[in-house]
Amino acid sequence: MTDWCTHPPGLAAERIGGTKNPGTARIAALAPDLVIANEEENRPSDLAALRAAGLEVLVTEVRTLEQAFAELERVLVHGCGLGRPAWLAEAEAAWADVRATGPVRHAVVPVWRRPWMVLGRDTFAGDVLARLGVRHLYSTHPERYPRVPIQELTARNADLVVLPDEPYRFTAEDGPEAFPGLPAALVSGRHLTWYGPSLAEAPAALTAALAAAR
């Protein structure tokens, strides 16, 4: 686990730093059968160090909902040798029924503040929002998480700002005030950016949060 892992709560597992600063020597000393990494979160140099230590490293890429389902099965079933979990089928079924209703809403989606950073191209969160009828205004930006001055964000004529509670913890008191006059949807970062059991409840939770911002 990383120092930042929160689920499942109370899990007795050794913590080995963060995704950007893992203790590669400590990981190697634990002699795991498999190391699971992600192309967005983990640095190539760290993965190379783990492979050089003789460890098998499985690297996932998740930029769409379909990729999330496929990679979860690859990790759990093929990588770890587990049975396909029931929650994965439940999550697939929950998203299969999602149909965006009403006009498309155009949003800015900050993920950090000081400096302001937003969703850009090819992101899992962007794909999730698109399925719920929300198009974010930086979906064609050359960068995946561009830094954009707040003056530009507020001048883009968005009709919605989506504020997740992670990685930056936006709240009702920290975030909406930067976008005066713009409806703000405060959403769970776990439902917007995580791919795991939370995917089963994400459509309903996100739909409710977006509706509350109308």
Side-chain angles (χ1 to χ4, degrees), residues 28 32 44 47 49 54 71 93 105 122 139 163 166 170 186 193 207:
L47 303 184
E71 291 288 57
R105 305 174 77 183
D122 298 335
S139 60
L163 298 169
E166 61 175 85
F170 288 106
L186 295 167
T193 64
T207 297

Side-chain angles (χ1 to χ4, degrees), residues 46-185:
D46 293 323
L47 303 184
L50 293 171
R51 292 188 176 105
L55 300 180
E56 181 180 354
V57 180
L58 186 159
V59 182
T60 63
E61 178 185 291
V62 178
R63 302 189 182 191
T64 67
L65 188 64
E66 286 85 357
Q67 279 187 308
F69 291 140
E71 291 288 57
L72 285 166
E73 180 164 349
R74 183 166 75 101
V75 167
L76 296 171
V77 179
H78 305 292
C80 298
L82 303 174
R84 198 173 195 272
W87 59 258
L88 185 50
E90 293 168 3
E92 290 173 324
W95 281 99
D97 294 335
V98 169
R99 298 291 184 274
T101 58
V104 173
R105 305 174 77 183
H106 297 88
V108 290
V109 188
V111 293
W112 200 257
R113 184 171 188 168
R114 305 180 193 94
W116 287 95
M117 299 175 67
V118 299
L119 290 186
R121 64 171 181 83
D122 298 335
T123 63
F124 172 74
D127 185 58
V128 165
L129 288 172
R131 294 165 189 272
L132 299 173
V134 177
R135 305 287 181 180
H136 69 92
L137 295 179
Y138 290 87
S139 60
T140 59
H141 195 281
E143 299 178 22
R144 298 185 66 206
Y145 299 98
R147 297 185 181 190
V148 183
I150 188 63
Q151 295 83 356
E152 179 181 330
L153 295 179
T154 55
R156 285 296 302 267
N157 294 320
D159 49 40
L160 176 71
V161 57
V162 178
L163 298 169
D165 61 8
E166 61 175 85
Y168 185 91
R169 187 171 181 79
F170 288 106
T171 67
E173 293 74 36
D174 185 358
E177 81 291 342
F179 301 86
L182 196 61

